[in-house]
Amino acid sequence: MLSVAVAPWQRPPVILRNADVPHYAASTMKIAVLAAVHRSGLDPDREVPVVNAFPSAVGGSYAHSRADDGDPEPWELLGRTAPLGWLADRMVSHSSNLASSLCLAEVGPAAVAEVWRRAGASAASGSPRGIEDAPARAAGLTNHVTARDLLRLLTSLEPEVLARLEHNAHRVDLAAGLPPGTRLASKNGWITGVRHGAAVVHPHDAPPYALAVCYTGPLANGQDTGDPAARLLAGISSRVWACRHRLAPHVV
């Protein structure tokens, strides 16, 4: 299943394809966690104990696998502390799963749910559990998104939060379909069978626009690079870029 939503920035969508179909959220849920951290009022310099044990959304606890986390840096601090702001940055810049759960533990799931509510997201989207909360997953509790709701989420973010999304180091899907050096605030997510990307793109010669693409299917091999589904998203991003001057503020 391929879902696409495109909108001129802060305007209604102009391209919608299967935009209300729910997909497993993968790491796109970290956008909502980032917003919850920002809105919490917690000091970004607050030192957070770096642990690998977290309360499950259904009771009990869960832990992360270091081998399955693409960002080694937070793991180097295990047993020590790290600033909350630094953890929030690693969560989105290098998609750290450990940092994500540490941030979620600081703000709580209710704060993340409030981010989705304030964005005006549908009931199809939400982040009720940590990204590797295995007990909650086994109980049927999971994180879902739709392409349209990812646009709503991006639109609801404060400039400071969007600025953090400009530090995304994973530039193999939506970013790869843009000319080198194009400014964008983005977050992607991938596991086997899933590849998503959501971004605010700032062309140098046209107004900004928001793009969300969600793909669930056999092309997605779960690798951060060398993923055929990432090339699919790059191709869609390139086609949207090619019509950036023709994006109009009305729904089709």
Side-chain angles (χ1 to χ4, degrees), residues 24-147:
Y24 174 64
S27 287
T28 60
M29 60 85 69
K30 296 169 183 174
I31 303 172
V33 179
L34 179 67
V37 170
H38 176 76
R39 295 171 189 173
S40 70
L42 294 172
D43 186 346
D45 295 326
R46 170 192 179 112
E47 289 292 328
V48 175
V50 179
V51 299
N52 187 25
F54 305 98
S56 170
V58 296
S61 64
Y62 72 96
H64 290 283
S65 165
R66 185 169 186 165
D68 294 334
D69 196 335
D71 183 12
E73 290 203 18
W75 289 91
E76 298 300 320
L77 298 174
L78 200 63
R80 299 159 59 190
T81 64
L84 177 61
W86 182 83
L87 291 168
D89 280 335
R90 299 303 296 191
M91 174 177 64
V92 291
S93 66
H94 290 75
S95 209
S96 168
N97 290 338
L98 182 61
S100 174
S101 286
L102 290 166
C103 289
L104 179 60
E106 288 295 303
V107 299
V112 178
E114 175 63 11
V115 169
W116 285 107
R117 188 198 68 78
R118 281 181 55 181
S122 70
S125 296
S127 313
R129 65 167 175 85
I131 197 163
E132 288 187 1
D133 185 347
R137 182 171 59 237
L141 193 65
T142 193
N143 302 322
H144 284 107
V145 293
T146 71

Side-chain angles (χ1 to χ4, degrees), residues 2-6 28 150-151 154 168 170-179 182 184-189 195-201 209-214 229-241:
L2 178 66
S3 301
V4 181
V6 181
T28 60
L150 282 173
L151 287 196
L154 289 174
N168 186 355
H170 295 278
R171 305 178 71 86
V172 298
D173 39 55
L174 297 184
L178 303 173
T182 300
L184 78 161
S186 68
K187 183 72 192 81
N188 29 26
R195 188 90 197 193
H196 307 327
V200 181
V201 182
Y209 62 87
L211 166 66
V213 183
C214 299
R231 293 194 291 273
L232 171 66
L233 267 63
I236 293 169
S237 180
S238 178
R239 292 181 66 181
V240 173
W241 173 268

